Amino acid sequence: MTTAPQKNIRNFSIVAHIDHGKSTLADRLIQATGGLSDREMKDQVLDSMDIERERGITIKAQTVRLAYTAKDGETYTLNLMDTPGHVDFAYEVSRSLAACEGSLLVVDASQGVEAQTLANVYQAIDNNHEIVPILNKIDLPAAEPDRIKQQIEEVIGIDASNAVPISAKTGLNIDLVLEAIVERLPPPNGDPDAPLKAMLVDSWYDTYLGVVVLVRIIDGHLRKGDRIRMMGSGAAYDVERVGWFTPKMVSSEALGPGEIGFFTGSIKEVADTRVGDTITDDRRPTDAALPGFRPAQPVVFCGLFPVDAAEFEDLRAAMGKLRLNDASFSFEMETSAALGFGFRCGFLGLLHLEIIQERLEREFNLDLIATAPSVVYRIRLTSGDEIELHNPADMPDVVKIDTISEPWIRATILTPDEYLGAILKLCQDRRGIQADLSYVGNRAMVIYDLPLNEVVFDFYDRLKSVSKGYASFDYQLTDYREGDLVKMQILVNAEPVDALSMLVHKTQAERRGRAMCEKLKDLIPQHLFVIPIQAAIGGKIIARETVRALRKDVTAKCYGGDVTRKRKLLEKQKEGKKRMRQFGKVEIPQEAFIAALKMDE
Amino acid sequence: MSRLAVPAGSARAADAAPPPADPGFGVYVHWPFCAAKCPYCDFNSHVRHAPVDQARFAAALAAEARAMAERAPGKRVTSIFLGGGTPSLMAPETVGAVLDAVAAAWTVDADAEISMEANPSSVEAERFRGYRAAGVNRVSLGVQALDDRELRFLGRLHDVDQALAAIRLARETFPRLSFDLIYGRPGQTPEAWAAELERAIGLASDHLSLYQLTIEPDTMFEKLYRAGKLAMPDEETGAALYAVTQAVCEAHGMPAYEVSNHAVPGGECRHNLVYWRYGEYAGVGPGAHGRLVSGGRRHALATAREPERWLARVESWGDGVDADDILSEEEAGDEMLLMGLRLVEGIDLRRYRAIAGRGLDPGRLADLVAHGMVETIGPDRVRATRAGAFVLDAVVADLAA
């Protein structure tokens, strides 16, 4: 196979909200162009997914190369780029989008535009994409194509008059989608004679092939046997295999300008490949790297600890394996008086955190405790130095701190009108600053600037509950802003408990402190003495509760026959005490920490 | 009546004489049958509607006593205790046969304490003379309350008049007498309990067992409690009731020598002291437990609980032993702590080290001393303080950890 002529290449992605039919449409496009037979459609796609799972591969971005003979008689190469679409992977998504010239915007013809659709479509527009709006599920009785078209024009501000009405489920008008891709999306226009310039879109680890790198060729050619260099990391590799996916893996001699495909080399770890990096010919490098490259930057941190201390090494091994495939996930060892040995982990966002935690638990059969997520604070010291704080426990002495800044996000929330009041209150309570409020048909669209710190806590859950699940939410990181942030400590019997300390805004401190003390009061077992539980900022106590001392705890009747039974009870108690953590003279069961850290207000 | 405070500095039992170095050797015999199951009781007791073949059971008990003597030969028995169940449902001849079997299996001390539990119903009281003749020299009556309504609540088959008559007859018949009361009943105030206890002390001989009502698993009371139909005293009231118990008994010369047991000096139950001092004892009968040392290791023995199954096993194999576990040093140490700290005399640290293979954790001990829960008596003894006795289970858990 040779490389395709650029004028007959179309590179596109699909932008859609969850459940609006992205995958179904992708399947139909593969089917209609004969990428797979009807029978293979089931067998093949599912099989390869099973293998992916077995190998523990997360293919964050997937491409499929389709051959389509259009009505004009010409055969086109269509590269469909499937992206994860979640804000946590915003940077990855933006790189995927940068690898395409156009996007299909899929909107459910009855549900309309959602917050997530918006965030992604704006990214596509930012990447100068030509957008083809597609109204899906028009076969459903509730479909209102005209209203949704109008909504797309009002909310997104693009022409929707020639939106393609389809049903991905029944296959209705899939041919029109293919024609629209060919007619309305521009071809790439790279320089075939220039030195190789390619963008690293994604990479993953394959047990048999090693690291597989997905690339978009901008200029020049990538050939088997070439020696290439990654301009960001500086590393050079020999190209072993080149090819693309149909979705089956197909080998080729080379990839030419405008094409999307993969290569493999002697790359050991996914961490050696950075999304957005520029790949060039080691002997004849390009002058300028592609703009916009930046290494993955974790924004949310939390501690992960094994419930059973004996599983610590297993956890380390499992994390190492996951990181092979996901360089954006970082971890370093952490010791907590409360939870023992574990890891401080960095994630791209909350979803990323959940995915990693779930994979560790499910694929590696580990029982984990996750501490409350926190964000990365930037602290300017009086010495003029600036440090990043990943763990409240590491906060420097207050007298050494000049200012503390915290990350802010811009959140877009779409909600039926009736829940608007409650949502505004929630955002306001979380120190939000309203940026915009408008109506999209009968739905309100609010844009809020919020501190990420207030969102990582339990914002999703609260939003879901106040809107009965109808509100949709998306956000992007905007900037760091100085804030009146203080470290709140929790003292149990006058001993500070590091695992429970947190950075909070001064205005939220008392509420959070009180909630934590009340919760701990019920979680810490009674001792032989009174235990004060206090929340403090610096030396100042802002909340206090007391665990009363035990008054009566003695077995009334105990004779010979009972010894065995009582001893077994005592053994259980001793076992329980082993799982407890000692703070001064107070023993706190591990479960209490888990419950306290999972606290919702 | 106002709430009684514990008199400061009042003498606690066993302050004077140190306990003997040898805890003695006891034989426990279990009679597993009752006329009715009490709603609070989780003991191994069974109600049979057909008459029990007492001769057959007596033969089996005798056989098992011989089998136990083979495991612990040559012992000098210092006490025998017939418990249940309701041993006063045994015919005097059955009791006699069992005591004879114990005497044949081991040597019984001439002044051995031979106790039996009895219900204070008139039917059972008629057999007192027979038991005395068989060798019983101490009886422990399950009086439980001195109020007819409360007795019905506790599911007892006797009333107060029968109890008073049984106490009178027992005092005439046996050299030593104890009876049990249950307090901390729903709605019972510390004042009401103090009054009931004063009356009981007036009737008492040398010993009283005073148990705070506890909800035990798999009892009728547990079901009621879970259903919210039993208003048990809260922790605070429980503590007040316990305090009042100590005060009243001390004021009348019957201080506690164990968490729930009170006696005039010298009136302590020697058999139960064997358990609490973690001595050796053999258990005979269904569901009986024993602790026997052989080959330098402490064995925990338990027999089959279900009477007919136990009987069948004894008749075919010579004993009904269901479990014979060799206790580790840690297990034996735990048991010694559990039992020994219940006693006002406390435990001997040298003996604890010998049994547990380690000393008590000095840090934990110091903390408990600092909190006023534990005190040392001389260099080699520790005991729970008066305050520590209220929360002894937590104290033991701390020390054992």
Side-chain angles (χ1 to χ4, degrees):
Chain A
M1 254 188 243
T2 55
T3 58
Q6 285 192 73
K7 74 175 178 62
N8 283 9
I9 296 176
R10 298 292 182 274
N11 296 318
F12 67 100
S13 65
I14 304 177
V15 171
H17 183 70
I18 290 167
D19 293 338
H20 281 196
K22 184 166 83 168
S23 328
T24 321
L25 175 59
D27 286 355
R28 287 285 171 251
L29 293 174
I30 295 168
Q31 211 173 8
T33 54
L36 295 168
S37 69
D38 285 1
R39 199 179 47 78
E40 276 180 320
M41 208 48 218
K42 271 188 198 115
D43 299 353
Q44 194 70 40
V45 175
L46 292 182
D47 275 356
S48 78
M49 283 175 61
D50 279 347
I51 289 165
E52 285 165 23
R53 248 182 254 123
E54 280 165 23
R55 293 182 190 173
I57 298 170
T58 322
I59 299 179
K60 289 183 291 188
Q62 243 180 334
T63 55
V64 186
R65 176 165 167 152
L66 311 168
Y68 172 61
T69 306
K71 287 192 181 131
D72 62 10
E74 299 225 16
T75 299
Y76 291 83
T77 296
L78 310 183
N79 285 309
L80 160 58
M81 172 92 61
D82 191 9
T83 60
H86 190 277
V87 58
D88 278 7
F89 308 104
Y91 178 68
E92 282 72 6
V93 174
S94 83
R95 294 306 88 194
S96 298
L97 293 173
C100 300
E101 283 78 33
S103 287
L104 307 182
L105 166 65
V106 180
V107 179
D108 184 308
S110 56
Q111 298 196 343
V113 176
E114 299 284 353
Q116 199 184 59
T117 324
L118 279 181
N120 287 331
V121 80
Y122 285 138
Q123 280 215 28
I125 292 169
D126 286 348
N127 278 286
N128 295 317
H129 275 199
E130 192 62 42
I131 311 279
V132 176
I134 295 190
L135 299 180
N136 192 16
K137 307 192 190 179
I138 56 154
D139 56 321
L140 296 182
E144 296 175 85
D146 290 335
R147 185 176 71 81
I148 303 302
K149 270 189 208 180
Q150 196 192 339
Q151 196 195 52
I152 292 173
E153 293 188 349
E154 277 172 13
V155 180
I156 303 174
I158 57 169
D159 180 12
S161 59
N162 56 357
V164 188
I166 66 158
S167 166
K169 197 173 146 204
T170 66
L172 177 71
N173 289 345
I174 296 301
D175 51 335
L176 295 185
V177 176
L178 288 163
E179 280 300 308
I181 293 168
V182 169
E183 281 171 22
R184 286 155 64 178
L185 300 186
N189 59 348
D191 181 349
D193 302 317
L196 172 66
K197 181 190 277 190
M199 185 174 68
L200 198 161
V201 178
D202 201 357
S203 62
W204 59 89
Y205 188 83
D206 181 288
T207 323
Y208 304 107
L209 302 172
V211 175
V212 178
V213 181
L214 190 63
V215 288
R216 156 73 197 261
I217 312 293
I218 309 293
D219 294 325
H221 288 80
L222 175 69
R223 293 183 183 84
K224 213 154 125 176
D226 282 355
R227 184 161 180 85
I228 54 101
R229 180 171 294 277
M230 313 250 186
M231 296 177 78
S233 70
Y237 301 96
D238 292 320
V239 176
E240 284 166 7
R241 275 173 199 245
V242 176
W244 51 76
F245 300 96
T246 69
K248 292 177 252 188
M249 197 179 225
V250 175
S251 287
S252 148
E253 287 302 310
L255 289 170
E259 288 192 294
I260 296 174
F262 73 86
F263 78 89
T264 66
S266 44
I267 307 171
K268 281 209 197 72
E269 283 184 31
V270 169
D272 298 331
T273 63
R274 298 180 188 168
V275 171
D277 204 349
T278 304
I279 294 166
T280 192
D281 191 321
D282 189 37
R283 290 174 196 89
R284 193 166 77 103
T286 181
D287 316 335
L290 293 162
F293 168 71
R294 66 169 210 237
Q297 200 65 260
V299 286
V300 173
F301 279 79
C302 87
L304 289 180
F305 293 83
V307 169
D308 178 355
E311 282 183 351
F312 174 76
E313 284 305 327
D314 298 342
L315 177 60
R316 186 206 293 277
M319 284 182 165
K321 274 189 192 147
L322 283 192
R323 191 175 149 79
L324 272 183
N325 230 339
D326 183 354
S328 55
F329 158 60
S330 68
F331 62 94
E332 57 185 48
M333 209 183 121
E334 183 184 9
T335 319
S336 155
L339 304 169
F341 290 108
F343 297 93
R344 192 80 192 162
C345 305
F347 306 93
L348 296 172
L350 289 173
L351 177 79
H352 191 210
L353 185 161
E354 271 172 42
I355 290 172
I356 296 281
Q357 193 186 347
E358 195 185 319
R359 291 191 61 190
L360 287 168
E361 296 193 314
R362 220 187 41 201
E363 294 172 26
F364 297 93
N365 206 16
L366 295 164
D367 244 344
L368 298 179
I369 305 165
T371 65
S374 72
V375 301
V376 179
Y377 296 94
R378 289 189 188 149
I379 300 183
R380 181 184 295 282
L381 302 173
T382 46
S383 66
D385 292 343
E386 191 168 286
I387 56 165
E388 286 200 341
L389 185 73
H390 295 176
N391 187 346
D394 300 334
M395 180 141 138
D397 198 327
V398 195
V399 296
K400 291 187 184 150
I401 296 173
D402 185 14
T403 59
I404 306 179
S405 305
E406 60 179 330
W408 281 65
I409 58 163
R410 172 150 289 198
T412 304
I413 300 167
L414 276 170
T415 175
D417 193 37
E418 63 224 85
Y419 308 118
L420 182 63
I423 289 171
L424 293 179
K425 182 171 184 310
L426 174 64
C427 291
Q428 228 41 62
D429 285 350
R430 300 304 174 94
R431 297 192 280 136
I433 300 166
Q434 202 184 94
D436 193 25
L437 170 60
S438 56
Y439 278 84
V440 182
N442 60 351
R443 292 202 304 167
M445 181 169 83
V446 237
I447 300 192
Y448 255 94
D449 287 343
L450 283 157
L452 182 59
N453 165 339
E454 301 287 339
V455 174
V456 295
F457 212 52
D458 59 346
F459 188 82
Y460 288 128
D461 293 344
R462 298 288 305 138
L463 183 69
K464 230 189 276 169
S465 95
V466 300
S467 71
K468 300 197 163 62
Y470 282 107
S472 65
F473 169 79
D474 210 337
Y475 72 89
Q476 63 194 78
L477 276 176
T478 51
D479 53 353
Y480 269 77
R481 300 185 195 174
E482 255 179 49
D484 206 353
L485 295 158
V486 289
K487 180 180 176 180
M488 182 173 81
Q489 277 194 314
I490 300 294
L491 299 108
V492 174
N493 204 28
E495 298 268 339
V497 180
D498 272 354
L500 299 176
S501 65
M502 56 174 108
L503 254 69
V504 291
H505 194 260
K506 226 170 183 169
T507 57
Q508 307 281 312
E510 203 185 314
R511 180 173 63 93
R512 290 260 197 110
R514 209 170 34 236
M516 182 62 95
C517 290
E518 280 168 12
K519 188 137 191 179
L520 285 171
K521 182 193 166 201
D522 296 331
L523 291 168
I524 295 176
Q526 284 184 299
H527 279 55
L528 294 168
F529 45 90
V530 172
I531 305 167
I533 302 168
Q534 298 158 307
I537 295 172
K540 188 172 169 247
I541 305 298
I542 55 167
R544 183 194 159 105
E545 291 286 340
T546 304
V547 179
R548 294 187 317 138
L550 270 176
R551 285 293 289 125
K552 183 90 183 355
D553 178 22
V554 54
T555 305
K557 205 168 184 171
C558 192
Y559 293 103
D562 273 341
V563 202
T564 307
R565 202 172 98 191
K566 299 296 178 213
R567 168 170 43 85
K568 288 191 172 148
L569 286 177
L570 180 63
E571 276 161 11
K572 264 191 202 156
Q573 258 177 306
K574 286 166 71 172
E575 202 49 51
K577 274 178 182 278
K578 276 187 199 147
R579 284 200 309 275
M580 292 199 199
R581 312 289 171 171
Q582 188 97 26
F583 291 88
K585 300 193 184 309
V586 179
E587 285 169 324
I588 306 177
Q590 193 163 277
E591 297 78 47
F593 286 100
I594 301 168
L597 292 169
K598 276 191 178 161
M599 99 176 194
D600 43 8
E601 290 155 70
Chain B
M1 188 175 123
S2 68
R3 185 179 294 185
L4 275 164
V6 177
S10 70
R12 293 176 71 195
D15 268 359
D22 176 14
F25 182 84
V27 176
Y28 176 78
V29 179
H30 192 79
W31 186 258
F33 303 107
C34 284
K37 182 93 189 167
C38 296
Y40 53 85
C41 174
D42 70 332
F43 274 38
N44 184 30
S45 60
H46 304 261
V47 178
R48 294 285 177 269
H49 298 290
V52 171
D53 184 343
Q54 292 207 7
R56 196 171 160 200
F57 267 92
L61 289 169
E64 196 170 50
R66 284 193 295 276
M68 289 296 169
E70 278 170 32
R71 290 170 185 263
K75 293 285 179 188
R76 256 192 115 71
V77 176
T78 53
S79 65
I80 302 172
F81 195 102
L82 277 71
T86 309
S88 54
L89 293 177
M90 293 165 99
E93 307 80 72
T94 310
V95 171
V98 169
L99 294 180
D100 287 349
V102 172
W106 294 280
T107 311
V108 177
D109 256 3
D111 63 346
E113 171 192 276
I114 301 173
S115 306
M116 93 180 262
E117 290 173 343
N119 275 342
S121 75
S122 44
V123 189
E124 286 154 85
E126 283 170 18
R127 292 194 279 264
F128 284 1
R129 276 180 213 291
Y131 298 145
R132 179 71 189 103
V136 173
N137 54 28
R138 182 177 179 274
V139 78
S140 172
L141 289 176
V143 172
Q144 316 305 11
L146 293 174
D147 180 296
D148 284 342
R149 210 167 44 93
E150 295 292 300
L151 285 171
R152 281 194 297 276
F153 164 76
L154 292 170
R156 303 297 294 176
L157 299 177
H158 63 271
D159 58 22
V160 176
D161 287 343
Q162 286 174 314
L164 295 178
I167 290 169
R168 214 165 26 244
L169 185 59
R171 290 192 73 148
E172 288 165 10
T173 315
F174 301 99
R176 295 172 63 202
L177 164 72
S178 176
F179 59 87
D180 297 1
L181 292 176
I182 294 176
Y183 67 98
R185 307 183 298 251
Q188 190 178 33
T189 62
E191 290 74 17
W193 164 234
E196 187 174 352
L197 183 54
E198 298 249 5
R199 187 176 172 208
I201 291 171
L203 302 165
S205 164
D206 60 346
H207 194 280
L208 279 176
S209 296
L210 308 170
Y211 301 112
Q212 189 153 352
L213 177 60
T214 39
I215 303 299
E216 299 294 344
D218 305 321
T219 59
M220 180 58 76
F221 272 2
E222 191 207 20
K223 280 188 201 137
L224 289 174
Y225 181 68
R226 284 184 187 278
K229 291 175 182 165
L230 218 54
M232 295 296 289
D234 59 19
E235 215 188 320
E236 211 49 56
T237 312
L241 287 163
Y242 190 71
V244 118
T245 307
Q246 309 314 308
V248 171
C249 290
E250 282 171 21
H252 290 88
M254 290 188 90
Y257 66 98
E258 189 261 1
V259 170
S260 303
N261 285 275
H262 299 253
V264 299
E268 300 86 6
C269 173
R270 277 144 60 188
H271 182 81
N272 288 337
L273 279 174
V274 173
Y275 299 145
W276 295 318
R277 288 173 175 160
Y278 205 44
E280 283 184 78
Y281 50 95
V284 175
H289 286 243
R291 290 291 180 276
L292 298 174
V293 178
S294 86
R297 310 296 300 271
R298 200 166 292 260
H299 290 242
L301 294 117
T303 56
R305 283 173 64 87
E306 208 278 320
E308 285 73 21
R309 197 167 75 88
W310 169 85
L311 186 67
R313 294 182 58 163
V314 176
E315 287 178 348
S316 48
W317 305 341
D319 68 41
V321 173
D322 228 10
D324 178 1
D325 300 322
I326 294 175
L327 296 177
S328 67
E329 288 186 325
E330 186 181 356
E331 289 168 329
D334 282 357
E335 291 191 346
M336 182 183 168
L337 275 185
L338 266 175
M339 297 310 256
L341 289 175
R342 298 183 66 84
L343 291 171
V344 173
E345 69 186 32
I347 60 164
D348 185 300
L349 291 172
R350 290 163 302 188
R351 185 150 178 266
Y352 177 77
R353 268 192 298 274
I355 286 175
R358 60 153 191 157
L360 292 174
D361 181 311
R364 287 185 178 274
L365 188 58
D367 275 353
L368 288 167
V369 170
H371 283 123
M373 296 293 146
V374 163
E375 62 194 353
T376 51
I377 314 166
D380 295 318
R381 294 196 79 76
V382 293
R383 66 171 176 182
T385 59
R386 198 184 281 283
F390 283 69
V391 288
L392 187 67
D393 290 2
V395 171
V396 169
D398 246 15
L399 273 182

